[in-house]
Structure formats: structure tokens, C-alpha cells
Amino acid sequence: MLSVIKKFVENSLSKPNLVLAGILLVLPFALLFIFGLFLGLPINFGGLFFQLIREAALFIIAAGLLYLLIYYLKGNDVKGKFTGILTALSIRYAFNIALLLVSIIIIFAVVPEFFTAIREIDPYSLSNEEAVNELGLKIEQITVQNEGALAIGFGLILLFVLAFIAMNLYLVYSIIKHSSKENPSRALFVFIMFFVMQLLLLAFF
């Protein structure tokens, strides 16, 4: 998997593809939409569209921050690589899709009643609060009846989340490494600063 990420970064920096980046950005939202239809849940198109616009803005800002930090390392040599960095970062959304699908499969495999409980809720005849309370009661009953299976399921999901985090770290490392050949200490500074700035961005955006 790491070799795939490395190759994707190399190709993205040499041949940026904004169409691919846009498709990868939209796919997780499309998947959530399809999953909501499958479960018979009401779709909040306005909310979904707002989240898509917010994510697109965060994505572009994150790429801009990484570009500026790499510019700190390489100066003018990094000019013209913004679209390449944007394309390279877009593989994060492929990770998101994989994590979402794996989580759904694991939950369905260990506790199929969870999705049944969601589908049994009629959100059109209940207020949002009532629907949430009813769903909460059903999930509590399922949890009591399937404690062992849920523990295994969430343990597996946690492992995939950790792998997802590790792949994100390696992705940013690869982008910095292939965009700059400067000394490791300065590259490490850029690596740390990028994630600190991203956390601040998520906290206030």
C-alpha cells in the first residue's frame, strides 16, 4: 500500500489531474448519499451540499498550507506544483471511502441488527428528537445483546482507523520528500507544522 501511495504522489506531482482530485473529493459524499437511500433515511440535500463545499474549502486550504510550507524549504523550485500537491492530497478521500466501506461491512457482519434498527425508524412520523431517542433505545438493546461481537467489531474498526492515520502521515511525508530534497530536520519541521496547522484549521473552521 505504501508503494501505491508513493507512486501516486510521484505521478501527481509530475502530471497533476484536478479532475481526478475532484472525483475523489465527491465520492465519499456520493457513497453516504447512496447508503442513506439504501437505509431509507431522509436525505438533507442542503446539509450534504454544505458539507461538500466545506470539505472542498478545507481541502484547498490544506493543499495551500502544504505548498507554502514546502516553498519555505525549496523556494522558487516549488513554483507550479500547487496543482500537483492538490492532486496528491486527494488520495486521502480514497482512504475515507475504504474506511467507510470497511466499517459498514464489519458492523453488518458482526451486528446486522444495527442496520435493521435504523431502517425500522420512520423519521417522517417522528420529530428528530423522538427518532434519535427511539434509535438510541434500539441500539442500547442491540449493544446489551451483542457486547462481545461489538467489541470485536469496534476493535477491528480501530485497527483500520490507525492504519488510515498512518497512511495519511506517509502521504504527507511522501509529498514533502518528493517536492524537496532539503535536510531531514527542516523537512520534519514542515511535516509537524502542517499537521499542527491542520488541527487548528479544523478547530476553527
mmCIF file of all heavy atoms in Angstrom, residues 65-102:
data_model
loop_
_atom_site.group_PDB
_atom_site.id
_atom_site.type_symbol
_atom_site.label_atom_id
_atom_site.label_comp_id
_atom_site.label_asym_id
_atom_site.label_seq_id
_atom_site.Cartn_x
_atom_site.Cartn_y
_atom_site.Cartn_z
ATOM 1 N N LEU A 65 -1.593 25.379 2.379
ATOM 2 C CA LEU A 65 -0.676 25.417 3.519
ATOM 3 C C LEU A 65 0.551 24.550 3.264
ATOM 4 O O LEU A 65 1.684 24.959 3.545
ATOM 5 C CB LEU A 65 -1.398 24.938 4.790
ATOM 6 C CG LEU A 65 -2.440 25.874 5.402
ATOM 7 C CD1 LEU A 65 -3.155 25.181 6.545
ATOM 8 C CD2 LEU A 65 -1.786 27.166 5.893
ATOM 9 N N LEU A 66 0.318 23.345 2.737
ATOM 10 C CA LEU A 66 1.435 22.440 2.468
ATOM 11 C C LEU A 66 2.350 23.035 1.383
ATOM 12 O O LEU A 66 3.580 22.948 1.485
ATOM 13 C CB LEU A 66 0.915 21.071 2.035
ATOM 14 C CG LEU A 66 1.953 19.958 1.884
ATOM 15 C CD1 LEU A 66 2.774 19.786 3.157
ATOM 16 C CD2 LEU A 66 1.286 18.637 1.508
ATOM 17 N N TYR A 67 1.743 23.648 0.392
ATOM 18 C CA TYR A 67 2.529 24.297 -0.672
ATOM 19 C C TYR A 67 3.418 25.391 -0.097
ATOM 20 O O TYR A 67 4.608 25.481 -0.409
ATOM 21 C CB TYR A 67 1.582 24.879 -1.721
ATOM 22 C CG TYR A 67 2.287 25.690 -2.791
ATOM 23 C CD1 TYR A 67 2.890 25.063 -3.881
ATOM 24 C CD2 TYR A 67 2.355 27.076 -2.706
ATOM 25 C CE1 TYR A 67 3.538 25.802 -4.865
ATOM 26 C CE2 TYR A 67 3.003 27.818 -3.685
ATOM 27 C CZ TYR A 67 3.585 27.177 -4.754
ATOM 28 O OH TYR A 67 4.232 27.917 -5.719
ATOM 29 N N LEU A 68 2.852 26.238 0.779
ATOM 30 C CA LEU A 68 3.626 27.338 1.377
ATOM 31 C C LEU A 68 4.754 26.817 2.262
ATOM 32 O O LEU A 68 5.853 27.374 2.284
ATOM 33 C CB LEU A 68 2.695 28.244 2.185
ATOM 34 C CG LEU A 68 1.696 29.080 1.366
ATOM 35 C CD1 LEU A 68 0.734 29.807 2.288
ATOM 36 C CD2 LEU A 68 2.435 30.070 0.474
ATOM 37 N N LEU A 69 4.478 25.738 2.998
ATOM 38 C CA LEU A 69 5.500 25.162 3.868
ATOM 39 C C LEU A 69 6.639 24.542 3.047
ATOM 40 O O LEU A 69 7.812 24.663 3.405
ATOM 41 C CB LEU A 69 4.876 24.115 4.795
ATOM 42 C CG LEU A 69 3.996 24.673 5.914
ATOM 43 C CD1 LEU A 69 3.197 23.558 6.589
ATOM 44 C CD2 LEU A 69 4.837 25.414 6.951
ATOM 45 N N ILE A 70 6.275 23.877 1.940
ATOM 46 C CA ILE A 70 7.310 23.311 1.072
ATOM 47 C C ILE A 70 8.072 24.437 0.367
ATOM 48 O O ILE A 70 9.285 24.332 0.145
ATOM 49 C CB ILE A 70 6.685 22.330 0.053
ATOM 50 C CG1 ILE A 70 6.099 21.119 0.786
ATOM 51 C CG2 ILE A 70 7.740 21.843 -0.949
ATOM 52 C CD1 ILE A 70 5.319 20.172 -0.099
ATOM 53 N N TYR A 71 7.374 25.520 0.066
ATOM 54 C CA TYR A 71 8.031 26.695 -0.526
ATOM 55 C C TYR A 71 9.088 27.246 0.423
ATOM 56 O O TYR A 71 10.149 27.717 -0.002
ATOM 57 C CB TYR A 71 6.981 27.762 -0.835
ATOM 58 C CG TYR A 71 7.526 28.982 -1.549
ATOM 59 C CD1 TYR A 71 7.628 28.990 -2.939
ATOM 60 C CD2 TYR A 71 7.931 30.109 -0.843
ATOM 61 C CE1 TYR A 71 8.126 30.101 -3.603
ATOM 62 C CE2 TYR A 71 8.440 31.222 -1.496
ATOM 63 C CZ TYR A 71 8.528 31.209 -2.878
ATOM 64 O OH TYR A 71 9.028 32.308 -3.523
ATOM 65 N N TYR A 72 8.796 27.133 1.737
ATOM 66 C CA TYR A 72 9.772 27.551 2.757
ATOM 67 C C TYR A 72 11.059 26.736 2.626
ATOM 68 O O TYR A 72 12.163 27.239 2.854
ATOM 69 C CB TYR A 72 9.151 27.380 4.145
ATOM 70 C CG TYR A 72 10.142 27.263 5.276
ATOM 71 C CD1 TYR A 72 10.795 28.390 5.785
ATOM 72 C CD2 TYR A 72 10.433 26.021 5.855
ATOM 73 C CE1 TYR A 72 11.720 28.264 6.817
ATOM 74 C CE2 TYR A 72 11.331 25.896 6.883
ATOM 75 C CZ TYR A 72 11.975 27.020 7.356
ATOM 76 O OH TYR A 72 12.889 26.895 8.381
ATOM 77 N N LEU A 73 10.896 25.456 2.230
ATOM 78 C CA LEU A 73 12.072 24.587 2.062
ATOM 79 C C LEU A 73 12.800 24.829 0.746
ATOM 80 O O LEU A 73 14.020 24.914 0.702
ATOM 81 C CB LEU A 73 11.645 23.108 2.118
ATOM 82 C CG LEU A 73 11.299 22.496 3.472
ATOM 83 C CD1 LEU A 73 10.910 21.038 3.282
ATOM 84 C CD2 LEU A 73 12.463 22.593 4.440
ATOM 85 N N LYS A 74 12.030 24.936 -0.327
ATOM 86 C CA LYS A 74 12.625 24.924 -1.662
ATOM 87 C C LYS A 74 12.614 26.267 -2.389
ATOM 88 O O LYS A 74 13.266 26.420 -3.414
ATOM 89 C CB LYS A 74 11.896 23.905 -2.540
ATOM 90 C CG LYS A 74 12.192 22.462 -2.203
ATOM 91 C CD LYS A 74 13.624 22.078 -2.516
ATOM 92 C CE LYS A 74 13.865 21.991 -4.016
ATOM 93 N NZ LYS A 74 15.260 21.575 -4.320
ATOM 94 N N GLY A 75 11.817 27.206 -1.902
ATOM 95 C CA GLY A 75 11.748 28.490 -2.579
ATOM 96 C C GLY A 75 11.131 28.381 -3.958
ATOM 97 O O GLY A 75 10.149 27.661 -4.171
ATOM 98 N N ASN A 76 11.726 29.046 -4.941
ATOM 99 C CA ASN A 76 11.158 29.115 -6.287
ATOM 100 C C ASN A 76 11.081 27.762 -6.992
ATOM 101 O O ASN A 76 10.322 27.606 -7.952
ATOM 102 C CB ASN A 76 11.968 30.092 -7.144
ATOM 103 C CG ASN A 76 11.794 31.528 -6.685
ATOM 104 O OD1 ASN A 76 10.774 31.868 -6.090
ATOM 105 N ND2 ASN A 76 12.779 32.369 -6.939
ATOM 106 N N ASP A 77 11.854 26.791 -6.529
ATOM 107 C CA ASP A 77 11.854 25.469 -7.179
ATOM 108 C C ASP A 77 10.500 24.772 -7.086
ATOM 109 O O ASP A 77 10.218 23.865 -7.874
ATOM 110 C CB ASP A 77 12.926 24.564 -6.554
ATOM 111 C CG ASP A 77 14.329 25.028 -6.910
ATOM 112 O OD1 ASP A 77 14.464 25.854 -7.834
ATOM 113 O OD2 ASP A 77 15.285 24.564 -6.261
ATOM 114 N N VAL A 78 9.674 25.170 -6.117
ATOM 115 C CA VAL A 78 8.395 24.505 -5.917
ATOM 116 C C VAL A 78 7.262 25.198 -6.685
ATOM 117 O O VAL A 78 6.129 24.713 -6.695
ATOM 118 C CB VAL A 78 8.057 24.433 -4.403
ATOM 119 C CG1 VAL A 78 7.476 25.755 -3.904
ATOM 120 C CG2 VAL A 78 7.077 23.300 -4.123
ATOM 121 N N LYS A 79 7.586 26.310 -7.337
ATOM 122 C CA LYS A 79 6.561 27.035 -8.085
ATOM 123 C C LYS A 79 5.937 26.152 -9.162
ATOM 124 O O LYS A 79 6.622 25.397 -9.839
ATOM 125 C CB LYS A 79 7.166 28.292 -8.738
ATOM 126 C CG LYS A 79 7.306 29.464 -7.781
ATOM 127 C CD LYS A 79 7.717 30.723 -8.515
ATOM 128 C CE LYS A 79 7.724 31.919 -7.559
ATOM 129 N NZ LYS A 79 8.121 33.169 -8.256
ATOM 130 N N GLY A 80 4.615 26.271 -9.296
ATOM 131 C CA GLY A 80 3.903 25.485 -10.295
ATOM 132 C C GLY A 80 3.496 24.103 -9.828
ATOM 133 O O GLY A 80 2.879 23.342 -10.586
ATOM 134 N N LYS A 81 3.810 23.750 -8.559
ATOM 135 C CA LYS A 81 3.495 22.409 -8.069
ATOM 136 C C LYS A 81 2.239 22.375 -7.196
ATOM 137 O O LYS A 81 1.927 21.331 -6.615
ATOM 138 C CB LYS A 81 4.680 21.838 -7.277
ATOM 139 C CG LYS A 81 5.869 21.467 -8.154
ATOM 140 C CD LYS A 81 6.907 20.700 -7.364
ATOM 141 C CE LYS A 81 8.062 20.247 -8.266
ATOM 142 N NZ LYS A 81 9.074 19.487 -7.520
ATOM 143 N N PHE A 82 1.519 23.507 -7.104
ATOM 144 C CA PHE A 82 0.327 23.530 -6.241
ATOM 145 C C PHE A 82 -0.713 22.510 -6.704
ATOM 146 O O PHE A 82 -1.265 21.766 -5.894
ATOM 147 C CB PHE A 82 -0.297 24.924 -6.210
ATOM 148 C CG PHE A 82 -1.591 24.974 -5.459
ATOM 149 C CD1 PHE A 82 -1.601 24.870 -4.075
ATOM 150 C CD2 PHE A 82 -2.798 25.095 -6.135
ATOM 151 C CE1 PHE A 82 -2.803 24.889 -3.368
ATOM 152 C CE2 PHE A 82 -3.996 25.118 -5.442
ATOM 153 C CZ PHE A 82 -3.993 25.022 -4.058
ATOM 154 N N THR A 83 -0.983 22.473 -8.007
ATOM 155 C CA THR A 83 -1.985 21.521 -8.506
ATOM 156 C C THR A 83 -1.520 20.080 -8.309
ATOM 157 O O THR A 83 -2.338 19.182 -8.083
ATOM 158 C CB THR A 83 -2.284 21.772 -9.995
ATOM 159 O OG1 THR A 83 -1.052 21.775 -10.740
ATOM 160 C CG2 THR A 83 -2.995 23.101 -10.194
ATOM 161 N N GLY A 84 -0.207 19.856 -8.383
ATOM 162 C CA GLY A 84 0.321 18.521 -8.124
ATOM 163 C C GLY A 84 0.122 18.111 -6.678
ATOM 164 O O GLY A 84 -0.252 16.971 -6.386
ATOM 165 N N ILE A 85 0.366 19.057 -5.752
ATOM 166 C CA ILE A 85 0.157 18.789 -4.325
ATOM 167 C C ILE A 85 -1.323 18.550 -4.050
ATOM 168 O O ILE A 85 -1.697 17.661 -3.280
ATOM 169 C CB ILE A 85 0.693 19.963 -3.477
ATOM 170 C CG1 ILE A 85 2.228 20.007 -3.567
ATOM 171 C CG2 ILE A 85 0.251 19.843 -2.024
ATOM 172 C CD1 ILE A 85 2.854 21.234 -2.949
ATOM 173 N N LEU A 86 -2.180 19.345 -4.701
ATOM 174 C CA LEU A 86 -3.631 19.187 -4.550
ATOM 175 C C LEU A 86 -4.068 17.801 -5.010
ATOM 176 O O LEU A 86 -4.839 17.111 -4.320
ATOM 177 C CB LEU A 86 -4.340 20.268 -5.360
ATOM 178 C CG LEU A 86 -5.823 20.528 -5.055
ATOM 179 C CD1 LEU A 86 -5.988 21.155 -3.683
ATOM 180 C CD2 LEU A 86 -6.427 21.425 -6.122
ATOM 181 N N THR A 87 -3.558 17.379 -6.153
ATOM 182 C CA THR A 87 -3.890 16.047 -6.679
ATOM 183 C C THR A 87 -3.390 14.950 -5.748
ATOM 184 O O THR A 87 -4.106 13.980 -5.460
ATOM 185 C CB THR A 87 -3.275 15.851 -8.079
ATOM 186 O OG1 THR A 87 -3.715 16.890 -8.943
ATOM 187 C CG2 THR A 87 -3.681 14.515 -8.661
ATOM 188 N N ALA A 88 -2.157 15.099 -5.268
ATOM 189 C CA ALA A 88 -1.577 14.078 -4.379
ATOM 190 C C ALA A 88 -2.375 13.934 -3.085
ATOM 191 O O ALA A 88 -2.624 12.825 -2.614
ATOM 192 C CB ALA A 88 -0.119 14.425 -4.070
ATOM 193 N N LEU A 89 -2.786 15.070 -2.514
ATOM 194 C CA LEU A 89 -3.554 15.028 -1.265
ATOM 195 C C LEU A 89 -4.933 14.398 -1.443
ATOM 196 O O LEU A 89 -5.517 13.904 -0.479
ATOM 197 C CB LEU A 89 -3.714 16.443 -0.698
ATOM 198 C CG LEU A 89 -2.593 17.004 0.175
ATOM 199 C CD1 LEU A 89 -2.937 18.416 0.635
ATOM 200 C CD2 LEU A 89 -2.311 16.118 1.386
ATOM 201 N N SER A 90 -5.444 14.412 -2.671
ATOM 202 C CA SER A 90 -6.804 13.911 -2.899
ATOM 203 C C SER A 90 -6.945 12.421 -2.634
ATOM 204 O O SER A 90 -8.064 11.933 -2.443
ATOM 205 C CB SER A 90 -7.254 14.215 -4.333
ATOM 206 O OG SER A 90 -6.508 13.455 -5.276
ATOM 207 N N ILE A 91 -5.831 11.688 -2.604
ATOM 208 C CA ILE A 91 -5.923 10.250 -2.330
ATOM 209 C C ILE A 91 -6.436 9.997 -0.913
ATOM 210 O O ILE A 91 -6.881 8.898 -0.581
ATOM 211 C CB ILE A 91 -4.567 9.542 -2.562
ATOM 212 C CG1 ILE A 91 -4.783 8.028 -2.745
ATOM 213 C CG2 ILE A 91 -3.606 9.810 -1.421
ATOM 214 C CD1 ILE A 91 -3.532 7.257 -3.068
ATOM 215 N N ARG A 92 -6.381 11.025 -0.064
ATOM 216 C CA ARG A 92 -6.971 10.912 1.279
ATOM 217 C C ARG A 92 -8.426 10.466 1.194
ATOM 218 O O ARG A 92 -8.914 9.716 2.052
ATOM 219 C CB ARG A 92 -6.931 12.270 1.986
ATOM 220 C CG ARG A 92 -5.595 12.688 2.526
ATOM 221 C CD ARG A 92 -5.717 14.059 3.117
ATOM 222 N NE ARG A 92 -4.641 14.333 4.064
ATOM 223 C CZ ARG A 92 -4.630 15.380 4.863
ATOM 224 N NH1 ARG A 92 -5.609 16.251 4.833
ATOM 225 N NH2 ARG A 92 -3.626 15.569 5.696
ATOM 226 N N TYR A 93 -9.135 10.946 0.190
ATOM 227 C CA TYR A 93 -10.555 10.618 0.071
ATOM 228 C C TYR A 93 -10.765 9.175 -0.344
ATOM 229 O O TYR A 93 -11.799 8.579 -0.029
ATOM 230 C CB TYR A 93 -11.244 11.606 -0.882
ATOM 231 C CG TYR A 93 -11.176 13.012 -0.351
ATOM 232 C CD1 TYR A 93 -10.306 13.950 -0.892
ATOM 233 C CD2 TYR A 93 -11.934 13.382 0.756
ATOM 234 C CE1 TYR A 93 -10.213 15.227 -0.361
ATOM 235 C CE2 TYR A 93 -11.841 14.656 1.292
ATOM 236 C CZ TYR A 93 -10.984 15.571 0.732
ATOM 237 O OH TYR A 93 -10.879 16.831 1.282
ATOM 238 N N ALA A 94 -9.788 8.602 -1.030
ATOM 239 C CA ALA A 94 -9.838 7.165 -1.308
ATOM 240 C C ALA A 94 -9.703 6.389 -0.003
ATOM 241 O O ALA A 94 -10.365 5.372 0.205
ATOM 242 C CB ALA A 94 -8.734 6.772 -2.287
ATOM 243 N N PHE A 95 -8.842 6.897 0.905
ATOM 244 C CA PHE A 95 -8.717 6.290 2.236
ATOM 245 C C PHE A 95 -10.053 6.379 2.975
ATOM 246 O O PHE A 95 -10.481 5.423 3.631
ATOM 247 C CB PHE A 95 -7.652 7.004 3.068
ATOM 248 C CG PHE A 95 -6.269 7.004 2.486
ATOM 249 C CD1 PHE A 95 -5.320 7.935 2.903
ATOM 250 C CD2 PHE A 95 -5.892 6.074 1.527
ATOM 251 C CE1 PHE A 95 -4.037 7.937 2.383
ATOM 252 C CE2 PHE A 95 -4.603 6.069 0.994
ATOM 253 C CZ PHE A 95 -3.681 7.011 1.419
ATOM 254 N N ASN A 96 -10.713 7.556 2.880
ATOM 255 C CA ASN A 96 -12.002 7.756 3.549
ATOM 256 C C ASN A 96 -13.037 6.743 3.063
ATOM 257 O O ASN A 96 -13.788 6.160 3.856
ATOM 258 C CB ASN A 96 -12.532 9.171 3.287
ATOM 259 C CG ASN A 96 -11.752 10.233 4.025
ATOM 260 O OD1 ASN A 96 -10.932 9.923 4.888
ATOM 261 N ND2 ASN A 96 -11.987 11.486 3.693
ATOM 262 N N ILE A 97 -13.076 6.564 1.738
ATOM 263 C CA ILE A 97 -14.029 5.625 1.148
ATOM 264 C C ILE A 97 -13.758 4.212 1.652
ATOM 265 O O ILE A 97 -14.678 3.486 2.046
ATOM 266 C CB ILE A 97 -13.943 5.664 -0.391
ATOM 267 C CG1 ILE A 97 -14.415 7.027 -0.911
ATOM 268 C CG2 ILE A 97 -14.778 4.544 -1.014
ATOM 269 C CD1 ILE A 97 -14.055 7.284 -2.361
ATOM 270 N N ALA A 98 -12.484 3.817 1.636
ATOM 271 C CA ALA A 98 -12.115 2.474 2.091
ATOM 272 C C ALA A 98 -12.499 2.265 3.557
ATOM 273 O O ALA A 98 -13.049 1.228 3.926
ATOM 274 C CB ALA A 98 -10.616 2.255 1.898
ATOM 275 N N LEU A 99 -12.215 3.290 4.392
ATOM 276 C CA LEU A 99 -12.528 3.186 5.815
ATOM 277 C C LEU A 99 -14.032 3.088 6.038
ATOM 278 O O LEU A 99 -14.501 2.286 6.857
ATOM 279 C CB LEU A 99 -11.961 4.399 6.565
ATOM 280 C CG LEU A 99 -12.160 4.410 8.080
ATOM 281 C CD1 LEU A 99 -11.456 3.225 8.732
ATOM 282 C CD2 LEU A 99 -11.619 5.719 8.681
ATOM 283 N N LEU A 100 -14.803 3.886 5.300
ATOM 284 C CA LEU A 100 -16.260 3.860 5.432
ATOM 285 C C LEU A 100 -16.818 2.500 5.022
ATOM 286 O O LEU A 100 -17.652 1.918 5.739
ATOM 287 C CB LEU A 100 -16.880 4.974 4.576
ATOM 288 C CG LEU A 100 -18.408 5.069 4.573
ATOM 289 C CD1 LEU A 100 -18.929 5.322 5.989
ATOM 290 C CD2 LEU A 100 -18.869 6.175 3.628
ATOM 291 N N LEU A 101 -16.361 1.979 3.895
ATOM 292 C CA LEU A 101 -16.851 0.689 3.414
ATOM 293 C C LEU A 101 -16.478 -0.447 4.369
ATOM 294 O O LEU A 101 -17.313 -1.312 4.671
ATOM 295 C CB LEU A 101 -16.282 0.394 2.020
ATOM 296 C CG LEU A 101 -16.863 1.223 0.868
ATOM 297 C CD1 LEU A 101 -16.103 0.940 -0.423
ATOM 298 C CD2 LEU A 101 -18.344 0.930 0.679
ATOM 299 N N VAL A 102 -15.239 -0.418 4.850
ATOM 300 C CA VAL A 102 -14.794 -1.460 5.791
ATOM 301 C C VAL A 102 -15.618 -1.399 7.078
ATOM 302 O O VAL A 102 -16.029 -2.443 7.610
ATOM 303 C CB VAL A 102 -13.292 -1.300 6.097
ATOM 304 C CG1 VAL A 102 -12.900 -2.140 7.312
ATOM 305 C CG2 VAL A 102 -12.453 -1.715 4.900
#
